[in-house]
Amino acid sequence: MAGGRAGPGALLALLALRALGAAAHPQCLDFRPPFRPPQPLRFCAQYSAFGCCTPEQDAALAGRFGALAARVDAAEWAACAGYALDLLCQECSPYAAHLYDAEDPSTPLRTVPGLCEDYCLDMWQTCRGLFRHLSPDRELWALEGNRAKFCRYLSLDDVDYCFPYLLVNENLNSNLGRVVADAKGCLQLCLEEVANGLRNPVAMVHAQDGTHRFFVAEQVGLVWAYLPNRSRLEKPFLNISRAVLTSPWEGDERGFLGIALHPSFRHNGKLYVYYSVGFGFDEWIRISEFRVSADDVNTVDHGSERIILEIEEPASNHNGGQLLFGDDGYLYIFTGDGGMAGDPFGKFGNAQNKSALLGKVLRIDVDRNERGPLYRIPRDNPFVDDPSARPEVYALGVRNMWRCSFDRGDPATGAGRGRLFCGDVGQNKFEEVDLVERGGNYGWRAREGFECYDRKLCANASLDDILPIFAYPHKLGKSVTGGYVYRGCEYPNLNGLYIFGDFMSGRLMSLRENVETGQWRYSEICMGRGQTCVFPGLINNYYPHIISFAEDEAGELYFMSTGVPSAAAARGVVYKVIDPSRRAPPGKCRIQPAQVKVKSRLIPFVPREKFIQRAESTPRPTARAPTQPPRGGRPTAAPPPPTPRPARPTPRPARPTQRPGGRRGGGGRRRRPGTVDPAASNGAVRLVRPAGLSSGRGRVEVFAGGRWGTVCDDGWDIKAAAVVCRQLGFAHAERATKRAEFGQGHALPILLDDVRCAGTERNLLECTHAGLGTHNCEHQEDAGVVCSHEDPDL
């Protein structure tokens, strides 16, 4: 070392050490991600490929540079012009917000970017007078005579981002502008809250009429209209809640399940809905056509309903529910296999029976139906000439496709346009994503994912079934929710990425196609780590029960989830997906919504969710899902519950409410450890689980002696677990876990040990156990359970 300056070797070593802990987080002075300028910059040319300046901002910086040259002495300017260029152009740096301490919009911007000590000391030597012309900061001027204090004032707390070291920081620059992945390969994205207070939001659609309104459907049978500013109309767009068969049971699959607006909606006002109905002990699904009211474009004429198609449902689950219009103008309808486990209907099940409408993708023509038949059969439907098949059938062999989408195609080339992606909910081992083709057979019940389910049927060579593009085992999730291929304008890095999720595990996932091989590469999606999502208005957390995905009129991507998967719980939220690593150039994606006349009162949108500071990205991936046929052992769970939907007859006299056989989810967000619950009674239990796990799984906590504590027991068994599950409203205990599989209860005392239950007790305190608070175990042995509403032995 000489004169306090580091040599090149020491500098490289220092940078290497810092790179290990640095987390790349590009951000501009407008608190948003950087972008590729629409044309090369002339003044700050080093940031032409990627940065924070438009050509207009670049020209303004060039003007400031010229003004400086006019004010500074010619001799000084000759020595200092390069420094002036460096400092002015840091406003265009992809890390401008860090250089100017602008990550937090509530703090004042620095007037000079943060400088590394060596650079500052060199600059002070010859050009310290330049700062009087660069900055109005009089406190900085006062330090001009003290080199050490001057440079300390211009330093950054986060030295990884100081100029010019950040230019050679490999960790910051090696993947600059790409979607950030954490150490385990989990893509780090962020979210923006768009709507809240919804009861199981099952669908979101747009009118494709230039108004950029969007419509969100609740499972109970209400559809709400939202304006581009996210305010909601007080009067529902559609309300058929009295006709919809639904219930408050968590995970019930019946209810209002799908909506599609006609491609010519702006001209004909037609829309189509898919919902459950029932009378007595009979249930069926109904597809109906409605028209918008003649005097209010934000309200449906409820008297205009025409029933297009009805299909009897033999069970309360596997109701399908998607409606889509393709580029061909035809209406696609996605039905479940009829319910129960293993598609037990007929010789080969409904899904393989071409004469049944269940377990199918249907395609019909609903145009020009004012007179004559309510729908026609497209001439190119694959089985139109097969006398043993229903002509509506477009594809078969599906179990319970929950959420499908058409690919809009690459914005520049159109590649991929018209591909039909579907998530098909599995039985008890695998979930799958399919690319649906005309006449395709997707294998159910012969096959689940890549593996045989019905071995005898699977061995039938004439089946000629199409394998999924991706399947994942139940350790990653138990109910796939199909998504969309991102084709929006705002986040170019996401183009071509298929984003989907799982209702039970709360995982967000993605697939990207290798065009050369046709293989799909899997990456989990996490909410951004550390500072990644600290942009104004962004959040890094979401409710775990992912119900549906959607696009807005501009092609931006959204998903809907809830904290309590019950049609009676207003815990649903709509989230917009955000890439914090790169955006489109400012102005490129600007929309100008067409005016729409509003007659109802508007309810302004008030976001409720906040950014949560975390050291790690969340949820953390626990396993890498294979794209090759997965190999699994005996299933550990009952037939996986598909997705959220509801139950109870309503259209006519209702039959007695029964506890339906659909999926159950459970519970809201995790309670803070140690929280006193005034309503808790002695012996009450609760499950505490890490983020990302579905309800019914977690560490056991018990209320005894007026406080909450944990259970710690070397001999914890399934009988004790059954008591806990029954207390929590679950019919079965799948697994008793030990040794803190679901986390340790450090914040609470250990209240119970040596618990021995017969399995019939009403609560844990009725089982034999050591004295309250008496134990000989450690917190790493905390007990947990996995509960289920379905029998794991079936």
Side-chain angles (χ1 to χ4, degrees):
M1 302 287 286
R5 298 177 61 184
L11 175 60
L12 288 174
L14 179 64
L15 287 174
L17 285 171
R18 284 177 179 165
L20 294 173
H25 174 227
Q27 188 177 343
C28 299
L29 292 179
D30 62 358
F31 317 116
R32 300 193 62 200
F35 51 89
R36 180 185 294 277
Q39 60 198 64
L41 306 182
R42 292 187 172 186
F43 180 64
C44 300
Q46 66 270 42
Y47 296 116
S48 286
F50 191 67
C52 291
C53 284
T54 61
E56 292 76 18
Q57 291 169 301
D58 181 61
L61 290 171
R64 286 167 58 188
F65 183 80
L68 269 176
R71 290 201 302 269
V72 178
D73 176 77
E76 184 182 3
W77 185 247
C80 300
Y83 285 117
L85 176 66
D86 276 350
L87 298 185
L88 287 172
C89 283
Q90 293 323 296
E91 291 187 23
C92 298
S93 166
Y95 296 109
H98 299 272
L99 287 162
Y100 288 86
D101 279 343
E103 301 100 314
D104 184 348
S106 64
T107 60
L109 282 175
R110 299 169 66 113
T111 56
V112 176
L115 303 181
C116 301
E117 185 180 13
D118 290 359
Y119 180 90
C120 178
L121 293 174
D122 282 345
M123 186 176 179
W124 183 89
Q125 204 71 38
T126 53
C127 297
R128 57 184 175 272
L130 185 65
F131 286 94
R132 288 183 172 269
H133 304 286
L134 277 170
S135 169
D137 186 349
R138 293 186 176 274
E139 195 173 342
L140 177 63
W141 296 0
L143 298 174
E144 191 177 285
N146 188 317
R147 178 180 171 185
K149 287 185 177 180
F150 183 84
C151 288
R152 204 156 40 240
Y153 186 81
L154 289 178
S155 66
L156 281 178
D157 290 336
D158 190 345
V159 293
D160 290 306
Y161 289 99
C162 70
F163 180 82
Y165 284 6
L166 87 166
L167 297 177
V168 292
N169 187 324
E170 246 182 71
N171 192 59
L172 292 180
N173 295 291
S174 60
N175 292 303
L176 184 60
R178 301 179 188 173
V179 180
V180 177
D182 68 9
K184 295 188 178 181
C186 205
L187 303 182
Q188 297 186 61
L189 300 180
C190 305
L191 301 174
E192 193 176 338
E193 188 182 355
V194 172
N196 53 39
L198 294 157
R199 292 166 294 180
N200 271 7
V202 294
M204 170 181 156
V205 295
H206 59 85
Q208 206 170 329
D209 61 356
T211 64
H212 289 268
R213 292 173 292 166
F214 57 93
F215 305 90
V216 179
E218 294 180 312
Q219 191 177 7
V220 289
L222 285 152
V223 181
W224 302 99
Y226 291 79
L227 298 183
N229 65 3
R230 298 178 185 173
S231 58
R232 176 172 69 82
L233 276 66
E234 184 178 47
K235 184 178 180 181
F237 176 67
L238 176 68
N239 183 358
I240 55 171
S241 55
R242 296 186 65 181
V244 171
L245 172 62
T246 186
S247 83
W249 298 115
E250 291 186 5
D252 188 2
E253 300 173 30
R254 298 169 294 184
F256 188 102
L257 303 177
I259 178 172
L261 276 58
H262 194 282
S264 299
F265 176 79
R266 73 165 79 191
H267 304 298
N268 61 26
K270 287 184 178 182
L271 60 142
Y272 297 83
V273 299
Y274 185 129
Y275 62 99
S276 305
V277 291
F279 182 74
F281 290 96
D282 297 323
E283 297 179 13
W284 59 96
I285 53 178
R286 174 181 291 167
I287 289 89
S288 286
E289 176 188 275
F290 286 88
R291 286 181 182 268
V292 168
S293 172
D295 59 355
D296 188 351
V297 295
N298 292 307
T299 306
V300 168
D301 176 0
H302 291 76
S304 67
E305 181 175 15
R306 296 199 301 164
I307 298 171
I308 299 292
L309 181 64
E310 289 188 331
I311 306 169
E312 185 180 349
E313 274 285 349
S316 63
N317 57 347
H318 302 190
N319 294 276
Q322 182 79 53
L323 291 177
L324 290 174
F325 278 97
D327 285 344
D328 52 18
Y330 298 135
L331 180 63
Y332 290 72
I333 303 166
F334 302 79
T335 64
D337 66 6
M340 302 191 197
D343 193 5
F345 308 101
K347 187 175 180 181
F348 302 116
N350 280 325
Q352 290 299 325
N353 181 1
K354 293 177 187 174
S355 67
L357 294 181
L358 293 170
K360 305 294 187 303
V361 179
L362 311 176
R363 183 173 73 153
I364 61 176
D365 182 358
V366 291
D367 282 342
R368 304 171 305 281
N369 65 352
E370 289 75 15
R371 292 195 178 100
L374 291 165
Y375 69 87
R376 295 176 174 84
I377 305 298
R379 254 324 292 167
D380 63 341
N381 267 14
F383 306 111
V384 72
D385 296 321
D386 184 345
S388 65
R390 286 290 296 257
E392 295 93 340
V393 175
Y394 181 79
L396 68 150
V398 306
R399 184 175 181 272
N400 190 35
M401 283 183 164
W402 182 248
R403 293 323 182 221
C404 301
S405 64
F406 281 105
D407 185 355
R408 291 187 179 209
D410 184 276
T413 67
R417 183 176 178 87
R419 293 183 299 180
L420 178 53
F421 290 80
C422 286
D424 198 6
V425 178
Q427 177 71 31
N428 54 12
K429 285 188 178 180
F430 302 109
E431 305 297 304
E432 67 183 67
V433 176
D434 296 305
L435 263 177
V436 176
E437 301 170 4
R438 175 182 172 275
N441 184 340
Y442 291 86
W444 178 248
R445 74 184 184 202
R447 197 182 304 274
E448 178 190 9
F450 293 106
E451 293 200 350
C452 289
Y453 176 81
D454 181 330
R455 297 194 176 278
K456 193 171 182 181
L457 188 56
C458 191
N460 186 343
S462 65
L463 201 65
D464 195 25
D465 56 318
I466 299 172
L467 293 176
I469 61 170
F470 179 73
Y472 61 93
H474 276 187
K475 65 181 177 180
L476 291 188
K478 296 184 179 180
S479 184
V480 65
T481 299
Y484 280 79
V485 177
Y486 180 84
R487 299 298 189 185
C489 171
E490 294 180 15
Y491 304 105
N493 282 342
L494 301 185
N495 183 38
L497 193 69
Y498 177 72
I499 295 177
F500 63 109
D502 190 279
F503 170 70
M504 295 296 281
S505 69
R507 271 188 166 83
L508 283 169
M509 298 172 275
S510 72
L511 298 173
R512 188 178 287 279
E513 185 182 21
N514 182 322
V515 180
E516 294 179 1
T517 65
Q519 296 294 306
W520 294 80
R521 187 180 76 248
Y522 169 85
S523 296
E524 191 158 345
I525 293 173
C526 305
M527 293 301 98
R529 171 183 177 182
Q531 295 289 103
T532 306
C533 295
V534 187
F535 294 95
L538 298 195
I539 55 176
N540 61 348
N541 59 97
Y542 60 92
Y543 284 120
H545 298 287
I546 301 171
I547 302 175
S548 194
F549 286 79
E551 286 179 321
D552 65 13
E553 193 167 347
E556 299 306 320
L557 183 64
Y558 302 75
F559 73 90
M560 289 143 274
S561 67
T562 183
V564 180
S566 162
R571 297 283 295 279
V573 180
V574 179
Y575 303 97
K576 183 179 181 182
V577 176
I578 307 291
D579 173 16
S581 63
R582 180 186 172 194
R583 60 172 155 152
K588 180 180 179 182
C589 305
R590 188 179 295 124
I591 60 169
Q592 294 183 322
Q595 290 296 312
V596 59
K597 190 173 183 181
V598 174
K599 295 189 174 183
S600 171
R601 188 173 77 89
L602 292 178
I603 300 172
F605 169 64
V606 179
R608 298 176 185 171
E609 304 303 315
K610 303 294 183 187
F611 174 83
I612 298 175
Q613 187 68 52
R614 290 186 175 98
E616 297 289 336
S617 53
T618 180
R620 296 174 66 187
T622 56
R624 184 68 70 137
T627 54
Q628 298 303 314
R631 302 288 172 214
R634 177 184 178 277
T636 57
T643 20
R645 358 249 203 249
R648 188 176 90 205
T650 42
R652 293 185 278 266
R655 64 181 162 118
T657 303
Q658 299 184 33
R659 197 172 181 88
R663 288 203 169 173
R664 306 284 179 262
R669 293 189 168 178
R670 175 175 172 175
R671 179 194 304 270
R672 184 181 305 153
T675 308
V676 175
D677 185 348
S681 57
N682 226 30
V685 293
R686 67 191 184 193
L687 295 186
V688 175
R689 53 195 167 92
L693 281 182
S694 60
S695 63
R697 303 161 65 88
R699 187 185 70 248
V700 177
E701 293 184 355
V702 61
F703 190 80
R707 58 180 175 167
W708 284 103
T710 63
V711 178
C712 182
D713 187 352
D714 290 333
W716 183 250
D717 62 17
I718 197 71
K719 290 181 179 179
V723 173
V724 172
C725 292
R726 191 166 56 254
Q727 279 186 259
L728 294 170
F730 291 89
H732 305 280
E734 284 189 13
R735 190 154 49 94
T737 68
K738 294 178 284 189
R739 302 191 66 79
E741 180 176 334
F742 297 115
Q744 301 169 25
H746 289 303
L748 295 178
I750 299 170
L751 295 185
L752 285 188
D753 186 19
D754 298 330
V755 180
R756 298 295 174 267
C757 303
T760 56
E761 293 85 353
R762 286 176 299 176
N763 63 56
L764 286 181
L765 296 186
E766 291 187 359
C767 301
T768 62
H769 56 80
L772 197 64
T774 302
H775 63 89
N776 61 357
C777 54
E778 301 294 334
H779 261 305
Q780 69 265 23
E781 296 170 7
D782 291 349
V785 305
V786 177
C787 300
S788 174
H789 287 290
E790 300 185 43
D791 190 340
D793 295 324
L794 287 181

mmCIF file of all heavy atoms in Angstrom, residues 45-64:
data_model
loop_
_atom_site.group_PDB
_atom_site.id
_atom_site.type_symbol
_atom_site.label_atom_id
_atom_site.label_comp_id
_atom_site.label_asym_id
_atom_site.label_seq_id
_atom_site.Cartn_x
_atom_site.Cartn_y
_atom_site.Cartn_z
ATOM 1 N N ALA A 45 -22.539 7.255 -24.258
ATOM 2 C CA ALA A 45 -22.611 6.127 -25.192
ATOM 3 C C ALA A 45 -22.365 4.794 -24.505
ATOM 4 O O ALA A 45 -22.836 3.756 -24.972
ATOM 5 C CB ALA A 45 -21.589 6.332 -26.311
ATOM 6 N N GLN A 46 -21.649 4.800 -23.361
ATOM 7 C CA GLN A 46 -21.354 3.533 -22.683
ATOM 8 C C GLN A 46 -22.619 2.867 -22.144
ATOM 9 O O GLN A 46 -22.599 1.691 -21.792
ATOM 10 C CB GLN A 46 -20.347 3.742 -21.552
ATOM 11 C CG GLN A 46 -20.828 4.585 -20.366
ATOM 12 C CD GLN A 46 -20.540 6.059 -20.537
ATOM 13 O OE1 GLN A 46 -20.711 6.617 -21.624
ATOM 14 N NE2 GLN A 46 -20.104 6.701 -19.463
ATOM 15 N N TYR A 47 -23.727 3.623 -22.071
ATOM 16 C CA TYR A 47 -24.986 3.057 -21.568
ATOM 17 C C TYR A 47 -26.028 2.926 -22.680
ATOM 18 O O TYR A 47 -27.232 2.924 -22.424
ATOM 19 C CB TYR A 47 -25.520 3.913 -20.414
ATOM 20 C CG TYR A 47 -24.580 3.904 -19.221
ATOM 21 C CD1 TYR A 47 -23.950 5.075 -18.790
ATOM 22 C CD2 TYR A 47 -24.287 2.719 -18.560
ATOM 23 C CE1 TYR A 47 -23.068 5.064 -17.722
ATOM 24 C CE2 TYR A 47 -23.398 2.698 -17.479
ATOM 25 C CZ TYR A 47 -22.795 3.868 -17.072
ATOM 26 O OH TYR A 47 -21.917 3.842 -16.008
ATOM 27 N N SER A 48 -25.547 2.814 -23.913
ATOM 28 C CA SER A 48 -26.461 2.653 -25.054
ATOM 29 C C SER A 48 -27.136 1.285 -25.065
ATOM 30 O O SER A 48 -28.264 1.144 -25.537
ATOM 31 C CB SER A 48 -25.709 2.853 -26.370
ATOM 32 O OG SER A 48 -25.417 4.212 -26.573
ATOM 33 N N ALA A 49 -26.423 0.257 -24.581
ATOM 34 C CA ALA A 49 -26.981 -1.094 -24.630
ATOM 35 C C ALA A 49 -27.984 -1.328 -23.510
ATOM 36 O O ALA A 49 -28.981 -2.039 -23.683
ATOM 37 C CB ALA A 49 -25.867 -2.136 -24.547
ATOM 38 N N PHE A 50 -27.744 -0.707 -22.341
ATOM 39 C CA PHE A 50 -28.612 -0.969 -21.196
ATOM 40 C C PHE A 50 -28.355 0.079 -20.140
ATOM 41 O O PHE A 50 -27.200 0.315 -19.763
ATOM 42 C CB PHE A 50 -28.322 -2.364 -20.629
ATOM 43 C CG PHE A 50 -29.335 -2.836 -19.633
ATOM 44 C CD1 PHE A 50 -30.637 -3.099 -20.029
ATOM 45 C CD2 PHE A 50 -28.990 -3.026 -18.307
ATOM 46 C CE1 PHE A 50 -31.576 -3.552 -19.112
ATOM 47 C CE2 PHE A 50 -29.915 -3.477 -17.385
ATOM 48 C CZ PHE A 50 -31.220 -3.742 -17.796
ATOM 49 N N GLY A 51 -29.388 0.727 -19.683
ATOM 50 C CA GLY A 51 -29.215 1.753 -18.670
ATOM 51 C C GLY A 51 -30.517 2.436 -18.338
ATOM 52 O O GLY A 51 -31.594 1.862 -18.494
ATOM 53 N N CYS A 52 -30.413 3.696 -17.917
ATOM 54 C CA CYS A 52 -31.569 4.406 -17.388
ATOM 55 C C CYS A 52 -31.890 5.697 -18.141
ATOM 56 O O CYS A 52 -32.681 6.507 -17.658
ATOM 57 C CB CYS A 52 -31.334 4.732 -15.909
ATOM 58 S SG CYS A 52 -31.329 3.273 -14.843
ATOM 59 N N CYS A 53 -31.270 5.915 -19.310
ATOM 60 C CA CYS A 53 -31.488 7.172 -20.027
ATOM 61 C C CYS A 53 -32.129 6.947 -21.389
ATOM 62 O O CYS A 53 -31.687 6.080 -22.155
ATOM 63 C CB CYS A 53 -30.172 7.924 -20.222
ATOM 64 S SG CYS A 53 -29.591 8.739 -18.721
ATOM 65 N N THR A 54 -33.107 7.767 -21.687
ATOM 66 C CA THR A 54 -33.651 7.846 -23.042
ATOM 67 C C THR A 54 -32.765 8.806 -23.835
ATOM 68 O O THR A 54 -31.964 9.552 -23.256
ATOM 69 C CB THR A 54 -35.083 8.378 -23.013
ATOM 70 O OG1 THR A 54 -35.050 9.708 -22.446
ATOM 71 C CG2 THR A 54 -35.996 7.488 -22.178
ATOM 72 N N PRO A 55 -32.881 8.830 -25.158
ATOM 73 C CA PRO A 55 -32.111 9.811 -25.939
ATOM 74 C C PRO A 55 -32.373 11.247 -25.485
ATOM 75 O O PRO A 55 -31.464 12.088 -25.527
ATOM 76 C CB PRO A 55 -32.594 9.579 -27.374
ATOM 77 C CG PRO A 55 -32.983 8.122 -27.391
ATOM 78 C CD PRO A 55 -33.582 7.872 -26.037
ATOM 79 N N GLU A 56 -33.582 11.535 -25.027
ATOM 80 C CA GLU A 56 -33.898 12.885 -24.557
ATOM 81 C C GLU A 56 -33.111 13.227 -23.286
ATOM 82 O O GLU A 56 -32.576 14.334 -23.135
ATOM 83 C CB GLU A 56 -35.404 13.013 -24.286
ATOM 84 C CG GLU A 56 -36.295 12.948 -25.519
ATOM 85 C CD GLU A 56 -36.459 11.527 -26.058
ATOM 86 O OE1 GLU A 56 -36.173 10.552 -25.310
ATOM 87 O OE2 GLU A 56 -36.859 11.396 -27.235
ATOM 88 N N GLN A 57 -33.043 12.269 -22.352
ATOM 89 C CA GLN A 57 -32.255 12.491 -21.126
ATOM 90 C C GLN A 57 -30.771 12.613 -21.447
ATOM 91 O O GLN A 57 -30.062 13.427 -20.848
ATOM 92 C CB GLN A 57 -32.494 11.333 -20.150
ATOM 93 C CG GLN A 57 -33.899 11.304 -19.560
ATOM 94 C CD GLN A 57 -34.152 9.999 -18.821
ATOM 95 O OE1 GLN A 57 -34.062 8.918 -19.401
ATOM 96 N NE2 GLN A 57 -34.464 10.102 -17.546
ATOM 97 N N ASP A 58 -30.315 11.818 -22.399
ATOM 98 C CA ASP A 58 -28.913 11.869 -22.818
ATOM 99 C C ASP A 58 -28.577 13.253 -23.381
ATOM 100 O O ASP A 58 -27.526 13.836 -23.074
ATOM 101 C CB ASP A 58 -28.678 10.788 -23.867
ATOM 102 C CG ASP A 58 -27.240 10.734 -24.351
ATOM 103 O OD1 ASP A 58 -26.349 10.478 -23.514
ATOM 104 O OD2 ASP A 58 -27.017 10.943 -25.555
ATOM 105 N N ALA A 59 -29.487 13.788 -24.184
ATOM 106 C CA ALA A 59 -29.267 15.116 -24.759
ATOM 107 C C ALA A 59 -29.237 16.182 -23.666
ATOM 108 O O ALA A 59 -28.434 17.135 -23.727
ATOM 109 C CB ALA A 59 -30.361 15.428 -25.784
ATOM 110 N N ALA A 60 -30.081 16.025 -22.627
ATOM 111 C CA ALA A 60 -30.102 16.986 -21.523
ATOM 112 C C ALA A 60 -28.782 16.948 -20.755
ATOM 113 O O ALA A 60 -28.254 17.996 -20.344
ATOM 114 C CB ALA A 60 -31.270 16.682 -20.589
ATOM 115 N N LEU A 61 -28.210 15.760 -20.563
ATOM 116 C CA LEU A 61 -26.919 15.642 -19.882
ATOM 117 C C LEU A 61 -25.809 16.283 -20.721
ATOM 118 O O LEU A 61 -24.897 16.928 -20.175
ATOM 119 C CB LEU A 61 -26.595 14.172 -19.610
ATOM 120 C CG LEU A 61 -27.456 13.484 -18.540
ATOM 121 C CD1 LEU A 61 -27.184 11.982 -18.515
ATOM 122 C CD2 LEU A 61 -27.177 14.088 -17.160
ATOM 123 N N ALA A 62 -25.894 16.103 -22.042
ATOM 124 C CA ALA A 62 -24.908 16.749 -22.926
ATOM 125 C C ALA A 62 -24.998 18.258 -22.793
ATOM 126 O O ALA A 62 -23.970 18.964 -22.800
ATOM 127 C CB ALA A 62 -25.141 16.316 -24.367
ATOM 128 N N GLY A 63 -26.221 18.791 -22.643
ATOM 129 C CA GLY A 63 -26.396 20.231 -22.452
ATOM 130 C C GLY A 63 -25.776 20.705 -21.155
ATOM 131 O O GLY A 63 -25.135 21.774 -21.100
ATOM 132 N N ARG A 64 -25.927 19.917 -20.068
ATOM 133 C CA ARG A 64 -25.319 20.275 -18.781
ATOM 134 C C ARG A 64 -23.794 20.246 -18.878
ATOM 135 O O ARG A 64 -23.098 21.086 -18.296
ATOM 136 C CB ARG A 64 -25.794 19.318 -17.687
ATOM 137 C CG ARG A 64 -27.231 19.579 -17.249
ATOM 138 C CD ARG A 64 -27.783 18.441 -16.405
ATOM 139 N NE ARG A 64 -26.992 18.188 -15.205
ATOM 140 C CZ ARG A 64 -27.191 17.137 -14.401
ATOM 141 N NH1 ARG A 64 -28.134 16.243 -14.701
ATOM 142 N NH2 ARG A 64 -26.435 16.980 -13.321
#
